[in-house]
């Protein structure tokens, strides 16, 4: 069962109710509760764990940007992949995403890292792992989140058509097996991390995504961050 303080949007709750009733999901929340009881600092805060779901209802999803883990520093993680709250300096990967936005669409580099405006337009900003311990990157990769988010990707693939999945880096690309490419579009590139050099730049995923949406008669994403 979901903890009382952790809420998920109703359409997602309906589509994922089988997952919520599975033993691994209950065990995962027992683990998180125990960690909190042991004074461990967990990101994001409980009310933001399902932020991606709450801002982008199931029927609104048009684009999926798949990340790996939440940020593991104070006040960074907000439940959306690659996004940080206003007032927090955009991390290096997000800065490179903004550079690609500028190269691809000529948009000005935003002054903050909050991608909520994308989420509200149908860009599902999903991390594969939804929690992390403070200063311990990858610390929750084995507690069950990937079972859950793999099921999320499969449900989207099964129930929807014409979604555009942006898979950046080898980890995200490994999830391609969960996507029915006869029904959906998959755009792949290197990860925006500085560790990949300039390999992310020039993928033109933002303009390509909008072309694919328009060709389906859907509204393009306004990628501009005010």
């Amino acid at each position: 069962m979901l903890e009382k303080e952790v809420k998920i949007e109703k359409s997602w709750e309906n589509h994922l109710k089988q997952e919520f009733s599975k033993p691994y999901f209950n065990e995962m929340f027992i683990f998180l509760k125990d960690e909190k009881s042991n004074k461990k600092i967990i990101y994001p805060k409980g009310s933001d764990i399902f932020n991606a779901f709450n801002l982008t209802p199931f029927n609104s999803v048009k684009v999926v940007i798949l990340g790996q883990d939440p940020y593991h520093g104070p006040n960074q993680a907000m439940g959306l992949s690659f996004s940080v709250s206003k007032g927090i300096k955009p991390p290096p990967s997000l800065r490179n995403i903004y550079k690609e936005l500028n190269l691809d669409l000529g948009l000005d580099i935003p002054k903050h890292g909050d991608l909520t405006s994308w989420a509200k337009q149908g860009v599902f900003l999903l991390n594969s792992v939804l929690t992390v311990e403070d200063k311990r990157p990858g610390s929750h990769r084995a507690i069950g989140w990937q079972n859950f988010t793999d099921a999320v990707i499969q449900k989207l693939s099964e129930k929807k058509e014409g979604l555009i999945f942006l898979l950046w880096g080898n980890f995200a690309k490994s999830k391609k097996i969960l996507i029915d490419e006869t029904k959906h579009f998959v755009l792949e590139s290197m990860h925006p991390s500085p560790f990949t050099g300039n390999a992310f730049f020039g993928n033109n995923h933002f303009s390509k995504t909008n072309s694919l949406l328009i060709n389906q008669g859907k509204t393009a994403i306004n990628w501009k961050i005010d």
Side-chain angles (χ1 to χ4, degrees):
M1 286 183 66
L2 293 176
E3 295 291 309
K4 288 181 179 179
E5 68 270 20
V6 179
K7 302 293 185 182
I8 192 168
E9 189 271 335
K10 196 67 179 178
S11 65
W12 280 109
E13 185 177 355
N14 290 338
H15 280 288
L16 298 171
K17 55 189 174 184
Q18 287 186 325
E19 293 303 308
F20 297 141
S21 65
K22 290 181 179 179
Y24 84 85
F25 196 89
N26 188 53
E27 290 165 7
M28 187 165 58
F29 269 82
I30 291 173
F31 170 85
L32 292 171
K33 189 174 181 180
D34 288 345
E35 291 287 275
K36 190 175 179 181
S37 297
N38 291 324
K39 308 300 183 184
K40 298 286 182 67
I41 300 173
I42 306 298
Y43 303 127
K45 63 183 180 181
S47 59
D48 284 346
I49 289 175
F50 293 115
N51 207 17
F53 300 81
N54 294 333
L55 289 170
T56 313
F58 186 88
N59 292 337
S60 300
V61 176
K62 299 194 289 188
V63 181
V64 180
I65 298 180
L66 185 65
Q68 193 163 349
D69 308 277
Y71 296 119
H72 57 274
N75 302 313
Q76 289 183 308
M78 56 175 295
L80 304 178
S81 61
F82 296 103
S83 180
V84 292
S85 298
K86 291 177 181 176
I88 303 299
K89 183 180 178 181
S93 291
L94 182 54
R95 292 201 297 271
N96 280 346
I97 291 170
Y98 285 169
K99 288 178 184 176
E100 176 58 23
L101 268 178
N102 175 261
L103 290 169
D104 187 8
L105 300 175
L107 297 178
D108 292 338
I109 302 294
K111 292 182 171 59
H112 66 82
D114 188 344
L115 304 181
T116 296
S117 65
W118 291 2
K120 289 182 176 180
Q121 295 178 75
V123 181
F124 187 44
L125 296 163
L126 177 68
N127 276 320
S128 183
V129 177
L130 299 189
T131 59
V132 69
E133 186 181 339
D134 178 49
K135 298 183 179 63
R136 293 192 61 210
S139 52
H140 289 180
R141 287 182 190 172
I143 71 170
W145 280 126
Q146 292 195 63
N147 294 333
F148 176 71
T149 54
D150 282 359
V152 169
I153 295 168
Q154 289 176 307
K155 186 66 68 171
L156 285 167
S157 178
E158 175 191 347
K159 296 293 184 182
K160 296 181 72 73
E161 292 189 8
L163 297 181
I164 301 150
F165 290 84
L166 306 186
L167 305 183
W168 298 338
N170 290 334
F171 179 83
K173 291 175 187 178
S174 72
K175 303 297 183 177
K176 187 164 70 168
I177 59 171
L178 304 172
I179 303 163
D180 183 348
E181 293 186 74
T182 67
K183 295 170 59 183
H184 304 288
F185 305 93
V186 175
L187 302 181
E188 301 178 61
S189 80
M190 295 294 283
H191 195 277
S193 166
F195 293 115
T196 64
N198 294 323
F200 177 74
F201 300 126
N203 64 35
N204 298 320
H205 278 187
F206 301 105
S207 59
K208 288 177 180 177
T209 293
N210 278 351
S211 293
L212 290 168
L213 290 171
I214 291 167
N215 287 342
Q216 296 180 76
K218 298 177 182 178
T219 304
I221 303 299
N222 177 8
W223 297 106
K224 181 177 173 61
I225 302 288
D226 292 322

